[in-house]
Amino acid sequence: MTTTRTAPSPVDGTPASTRWRLLDSLRGFALCGILLVNVPDITRLGSAVPFDADAPASTTQTLLEFAVQTRFVPIFVVLFGLSLQLVVDSARRRGTAPWLPVGLRLLALLGIGCLHALVYPGEVLREYAVVGLLALPVVLWAPRWLTLALGTVGTVAAYALFGGGLASLPGLVLLGAAAASWGLPRALERGGRPVVATLGVAAVASVAAVAWQTTQPGDPRFTTAGGVAGLTLAVTYTAALTLLWSTRARVVVAAAFEPLGRMALSNYVGASVVVVALVAGVPALDWTRMTSPLPAVVTALVVLTVQSVVSRAWLTHFRYGPVEWAWRTVTWRRRAPFRGGVL
C-alpha cells in the first residue's frame, strides 16, 4: 500500500495514523472537473449571445456535457463527508468532544464561502457548510449503519426526484461519513476484485444513463438524466482511477493530482481569483459574446496545470496550503504548524 504513516489526514490535514494518498489524488482529480465547469460560469461565457435552440452544440460543449458536467461534484461531496468523519475520529483520539472542532470547522468553511462568493457568486462552499452542520448530529451520534442507510435513501431520493443538484448534498455527505466509518479509504488503497467489480457495474450503468441523457438534451445540471449519468460516471471514474493507482500509472496519477488535492481549498478559491483577475485585466476579451466554451476550457487547464506545479513546490516547504492552514487553526483553536514539507 502506498500510505504515509503519522501524517496529516488525506482530506484536510487533520491528524491521523495513516494518510491515504489515493484520496488526495481523487480530490485533485475531482477539482479538475469542477473547475472545467466553473470557469465558463465565472467568465459568464456566452451570456450576451441570444439563445438558439436549433444551433448545433460544439464538440467541446458536447464533451463537457457528457464527460464533465455533474460527473465530478459527487466525488468531491462524498470526500467532504468523509472528511467530517475523519475530523470526528481525530478529535476522539485527542480526547476532545468532537462537536466543537467540527462545528468550528464548518462555521469557518461558511465564512470562507461567503468571502469566496464576493469573487464567484456561484460558489457552493456555503451550501457544503450548512449541510455539514445539519448532518453533524447524525455523523456524531448515529450508528454507522444508520448513517449509511440515511445517506443511501437521501441520495436515491435526491436523484430520483430532482436529478441530484443541491438536493443530493445531504445524502452524499452522509454516504461519505459512513464510508469513512466502514473503512473505504483502506479498501480503495487495497484495490483488487471489489474495485474491478464496482467498475464493471458502474460502467454498464453509465452506458445506460448516458444513453438516457441523450433523450434530455441541454445542460445536464438541469435534467434528471444528466444528474443520474453524472452519479454513475462519478463512480466509474473513481473506480478507474483506483485501479490505475494499483499499477505503475500511480506515479503519473500522484504527480498530476495529489498536490492539487492536498491544497484543494486553496486551489479552488485561488482559481476563481485568477480567472476573475484575467477577465478584469483583459477587457478586450469579451467572454460574454463567445459561442464556444473552448477558450474557457483551455484557460481552466492552464490554471490547473500551473496550480499543480505550484502546489507541489509549495508542499516541499510547507505542511498545508494557506487556506488549509487557517482552516485547521480555527478547527483546533491553536496555531497549526506551517513549515515542513510533506512532498
Side-chain angles (χ1 to χ4, degrees):
M1 291 192 303
T2 55
T3 59
T4 303
R5 299 290 174 180
T6 62
S9 85
V11 174
D12 44 38
T14 53
S17 58
T18 301
R19 181 179 187 105
W20 308 106
R21 294 179 56 202
L22 173 57
L23 293 185
D24 282 321
S25 297
L26 282 170
R27 187 171 302 99
F29 175 67
L31 180 67
C32 290
I34 289 171
L35 290 183
L36 285 172
V37 176
N38 282 2
V39 170
D41 288 346
I42 295 170
T43 59
R44 300 178 61 240
L45 188 78
S47 59
V49 178
F51 177 73
D52 183 359
D54 296 324
S58 67
T59 300
T60 304
Q61 184 63 43
T62 300
L63 286 173
L64 283 175
E65 290 179 355
F66 284 93
V68 180
Q69 289 178 331
T70 74
R71 278 57 173 161
F72 291 87
V73 170
I75 302 173
F76 210 77
V77 178
V78 168
L79 290 174
F80 172 69
L82 191 148
S83 76
L84 291 184
Q85 184 62 57
L86 291 180
V87 176
V88 168
D89 294 342
S90 178
R92 287 172 175 161
R93 285 194 301 271
R94 294 164 177 250
T96 301
W99 65 268
L100 181 56
V102 180
L104 288 173
R105 184 175 188 78
L106 293 170
L107 290 174
L109 184 64
L110 179 61
I112 294 169
C114 289
L115 291 174
H116 185 221
L118 299 175
V119 178
Y120 173 37
E123 77 92 35
V124 296
L125 296 179
R126 295 165 296 179
E127 285 80 1
Y128 283 22
V130 170
V131 170
L133 287 168
L134 294 174
L136 186 55
V138 177
V139 175
L140 288 178
W141 297 308
R144 61 181 184 174
W145 66 264
L146 180 58
T147 303
L148 178 61
L150 290 174
T152 302
V153 171
T155 300
V156 171
Y159 279 91
L161 299 175
F162 307 105
L166 291 178
S168 68
L169 292 184
L172 291 173
V173 167
L174 290 177
L175 281 179
S181 296
W182 288 92
L184 181 65
R186 184 178 298 277
L188 290 176
E189 286 281 355
R190 286 176 174 171
R193 291 181 180 178
V195 177
V196 174
T198 299
L199 177 59
V201 173
V204 171
S206 295
V207 170
V210 169
W212 182 25
Q213 182 182 332
T214 63
T215 68
Q216 297 183 6
D219 193 323
R221 291 175 291 181
F222 306 110
T223 67
T224 299
V228 172
L231 180 63
T232 58
L233 274 169
V235 178
T236 301
Y237 289 168
T238 299
L241 199 70
T242 299
L243 287 181
L244 285 176
W245 190 258
S246 63
T247 70
R248 293 181 179 179
R250 176 178 63 242
V251 176
V252 177
V253 172
F257 300 123
E258 187 179 2
L260 286 171
R262 290 198 180 192
M263 292 178 54
L265 188 55
S266 295
N267 286 323
Y268 175 72
V269 173
S272 299
V273 174
V274 169
V275 174
V276 168
L278 175 64
V279 172
V282 190
L285 193 61
D286 190 353
W287 296 84
T288 65
R289 296 192 176 277
M290 293 183 184
T291 57
S292 171
L294 182 58
V297 169
V298 171
T299 299
L301 291 174
V302 171
V303 170
L304 286 164
T305 300
V306 172
Q307 284 187 325
S308 181
V309 173
V310 171
S311 295
R312 176 165 292 277
W314 178 278
L315 290 169
T316 60
H317 301 287
F318 304 101
R319 296 184 65 180
Y320 312 107
V323 181
E324 285 80 6
W325 175 84
W327 199 22
R328 178 180 171 85
T329 295
V330 172
T331 298
W332 301 108
R333 293 176 294 158
R334 62 172 176 265
R335 187 179 184 277
F338 197 39
R339 292 190 176 273
V342 293
L343 283 180

